Amino acid sequence: MNSHIETLPLWAAILIAVLLVIGSTLTLLGNIGLLRFRTFYERLHAPTLGVSWGTAAIILASMLMFSLHLGRPVIHELIVGVFVMITAPVTLMLLGRAALRRDRARGLDLNVRRITPPDSKAVDGDEPGPTDEIR
Amino acid sequence: MSAIIMNIALTYAQICLIVAFGFATARMLKGPRAQDRVLGLDTLYINAMLLFLVIGVDNGNVFFFEAAIVIAIVGFVATVSLAKFLMRGEVIE
């Protein structure tokens, strides 16, 4: 199909293919977790699979492919990797703190409402907070 | 032989990332609260960046990398400003 792919040596093709498969599978698993987890604070953890090793594996594959294709070390994909690995914790922590603040602002209301009628669907497990109702 | 392996892996990676697009979009559309939608949008940006990198490997073109870094920067700024808005009610105070 493409000439740059056909000229790759076999070991490089296998290595790049394995890295691409690992990265995309981890990203897909993170997105499945994003869709399937039940509370927001669980969902916050799921996409970090794609952010950490999904990005790292795909960037390693891209660096290896372009280095072998152009015949010189190509490392400018590291900019994306470093940028994503620095900014992803910042965004997720900001989002988590925003959700915590919003839940606390609503949690007072929930606690007051819980005292008056004993809630029918009780919170399962050992979590004392009303995280199950907040979703 | 290496072309067959690479084509299978590239097709698999693109299909995986597009299915991941669908999941993140579903979370963004049905998220019960606002922070779920913001998290879905952030994941969508990451998926788009990875898909551009994979398409760049497929085409052998270096310029997809620059689109990927633009998407990463725009996604970071968008998510930070949306989270700030959710936290405080205003972006710049």
Side-chain angles (χ1 to χ4, degrees):
Chain A
M1 183 171 69
N2 295 321
S3 63
H4 69 281
I5 286 177
E6 286 162 3
T7 55
L8 282 178
L10 187 60
W11 61 271
I14 292 174
L15 194 54
I16 293 169
V18 166
L19 282 173
L20 281 176
V21 167
I22 287 174
S24 55
T25 308
L26 281 177
T27 311
L28 182 62
L29 285 178
N31 282 274
I32 291 173
L34 176 73
L35 192 61
R36 299 263 317 181
F37 277 148
R38 291 181 62 231
T39 66
F40 174 74
Y41 298 103
E42 290 172 354
R43 267 176 232 141
L44 202 53
H45 294 88
T48 54
L49 274 179
V51 168
S52 58
W53 262 105
T55 309
I58 290 180
I59 277 172
L60 283 178
S62 181
M63 281 170 60
L64 192 56
M65 208 284 294
F66 281 113
S67 298
L68 287 170
H69 174 47
L70 299 178
R72 57 182 172 84
V74 176
I75 56 170
H76 61 223
E77 277 92 353
L78 281 180
I79 299 174
V80 170
V82 169
F83 182 78
V84 165
M85 289 202 185
I86 288 174
T87 57
V90 176
T91 60
L92 292 183
M93 271 186 64
L94 270 176
L95 208 54
R97 292 196 68 84
L100 196 61
R101 176 181 280 260
R102 283 162 67 91
D103 280 349
R104 277 186 185 145
R106 238 176 68 162
L108 291 176
D109 191 12
L110 279 176
N111 281 334
V112 167
R113 196 159 52 89
R114 178 177 293 174
I115 288 173
T116 34
D119 217 344
S120 59
K121 45 168 190 169
V123 179
D124 53 347
D126 47 353
E127 283 191 354
T131 56
D132 235 9
E133 297 165 354
I134 282 176
R135 288 294 152 86
Chain B
M1 187 63 196
S2 62
I4 298 173
I5 295 173
M6 281 294 288
N7 280 331
I8 290 173
L10 283 168
T11 311
Y12 173 78
Q14 291 179 23
I15 289 174
C16 271
L17 288 175
I18 288 170
V19 172
F21 257 71
F23 288 157
T25 310
R27 176 51 73 196
M28 191 175 70
L29 289 180
K30 85 169 194 187
R33 301 188 65 200
Q35 54 260 32
D36 291 297
R37 298 177 197 268
V38 178
L39 184 61
L41 184 67
D42 184 48
T43 315
L44 203 60
Y45 274 116
I46 296 290
N47 289 342
M49 189 199 73
L50 292 180
L51 187 63
F52 266 67
L53 284 175
V54 170
I55 291 175
V57 172
D58 196 357
N59 285 345
N61 198 340
V62 191
F63 295 109
F64 281 100
F65 157 77
E66 298 172 8
I69 198 169
V70 167
I71 288 176
I73 292 170
V74 170
F76 169 66
V77 174
T79 312
V80 165
S81 55
L82 281 171
K84 198 86 191 319
F85 180 74
L86 286 183
M87 196 176 342
R88 300 272 179 172
E90 55 187 341
V91 179
I92 300 170
E93 44 193 341

